[in-house]
C-alpha cells in the first residue's frame, strides 16, 4: 500500500481532532475530485513502519479523537488487505479512539467486508460534482452518506451518523 500524506490535527474529516491517512489508489475517477493526484496506486510513498510510527505518535495524544482514512480510496482493491490489517491493529491498540473511512463505494457494496466491524463511521458514495455542497458536514456532495457502522450492522440497514 502507498500513501500521499499523513495530516495531523485535522478537523474537517470526521468528528473531533483527527489524524488522516491519505492513501494512494482509486478507480472511481470522480469528476471534480479534490485529490486526483491520489488516484494512481503507484503514486506517493510506501506505507512503512516509519509511517505507522508517525500515526501511533499522533494517536497517543489524549486530545486526538481518532483516525480517518481517505485518499484515493482506502477500499481500492489494492489497499483492502493492508488497510484492514492496519485498522484491526489500531482498534486493538486504541479502542477508545474512533476510526472513520471515506470510500467511493456504496455501503451496499462493502457491508460484508471484513473491515467493517472495526470502523465507527463510513462516508460512502462517489463525489458528484453536480451535487457538491460546501455547507455539508463531513462530505462533499449531497449523495454521500455519513454512516454509523455499528448501528447499521446491528440494524441490517443504513443508519446515519448524527
Amino acid at each position: 500500500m502507498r500513501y500521499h500524506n499523513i495530516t495531523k490535527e485535522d478537523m474537517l474529516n470526521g468528528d473531533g481532532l483527527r489524524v488522516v491517512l491519505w492513501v494512494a489508489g482509486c478507480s472511481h475517477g470522480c469528476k471534480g475530485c479534490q485529490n486526483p493526484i491520489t488516484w494512481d496506486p503507484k503514486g506517493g510513498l510506501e506505507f512503512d513502519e516509519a509511517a505507522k510510527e508517525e500515526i501511533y505518535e499522533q494517536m497517543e495524544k489524549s486530545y486526538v479523537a481518532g483516525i480517518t482514512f481517505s485518499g484515493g480510496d482506502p477500499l481500492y482493491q489494492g489497499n483492502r488487505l493492508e488497510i484492514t490489517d492496519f485498522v484491526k491493529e489500531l482498534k486493538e491498540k486504541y479502542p477508545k479512539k474512533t476510526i472513520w473511512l471515506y470510500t467511493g463505494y456504496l455501503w451496499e457494496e462493502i457491508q460484508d467486508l471484513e473491515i467493517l466491524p472495526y470502523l465507527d463511521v463510513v462516508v460512502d458514495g462517489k463525489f458528484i460534482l453536480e451535487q457538491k455542497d460546501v455547507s455539508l458536514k463531513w462530505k462533499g456532495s449531497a449523495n454521500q452518506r455519513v454512516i454509523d457502522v455499528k448501528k447499521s450492522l446491528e440494524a441490517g440497514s443504513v443508519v446515519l451518523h448524527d
Side-chain angles (χ1 to χ4, degrees), residues 38-61:
T38 64
W39 293 356
D40 182 359
K42 293 181 175 82
L45 308 165
E46 184 65 34
F47 187 71
D48 58 10
E49 287 304 313
K52 276 188 179 184
E53 288 303 319
E54 191 175 337
I55 289 170
Y56 296 150
E57 183 182 311
Q58 295 304 306
M59 294 289 280
E60 290 291 331
K61 296 176 179 175

Side-chain angles (χ1 to χ4, degrees), residues 4-130:
H4 280 271
N5 195 22
I6 297 169
T7 305
K8 299 165 183 100
E9 300 184 4
D10 180 285
M11 294 182 69
L12 300 174
N13 296 284
D15 201 14
L17 206 58
R18 315 187 68 72
V19 57
V20 182
L21 176 63
W22 303 89
V23 302
C26 184
S27 58
H28 303 296
C30 301
K31 179 179 157 192
C33 173
Q34 67 175 4
N35 297 316
I37 193 169
T38 64
W39 293 356
D40 182 359
K42 293 181 175 82
L45 308 165
E46 184 65 34
F47 187 71
D48 58 10
E49 287 304 313
K52 276 188 179 184
E53 288 303 319
E54 191 175 337
I55 289 170
Y56 296 150
E57 183 182 311
Q58 295 304 306
M59 294 289 280
E60 290 291 331
K61 296 176 179 175
S62 61
Y63 58 84
V64 171
I67 185 168
T68 298
F69 291 88
S70 193
D73 193 330
L75 297 182
Y76 171 76
Q77 283 297 126
N79 293 334
R80 286 186 184 181
L81 182 61
E82 281 187 77
I83 287 286
T84 299
D85 289 345
F86 188 45
V87 164
K88 285 180 182 178
E89 192 177 310
L90 287 167
K91 192 50 102 174
E92 186 175 307
K93 195 169 171 96
Y94 306 102
K96 291 184 171 32
K97 306 275 183 169
T98 59
I99 302 177
W100 285 49
L101 185 143
Y102 282 77
T103 183
Y105 294 100
L106 293 174
W107 172 265
E108 292 76 11
E109 298 171 289
I110 62 167
Q111 65 186 345
D112 296 325
L113 293 180
E114 181 184 356
I115 194 172
L116 264 290
Y118 301 93
L119 301 173
D120 296 288
V121 175
V122 165
V123 181
D124 81 335
K126 294 178 183 178
F127 171 76
I128 298 176
L129 186 58
E130 295 75 24

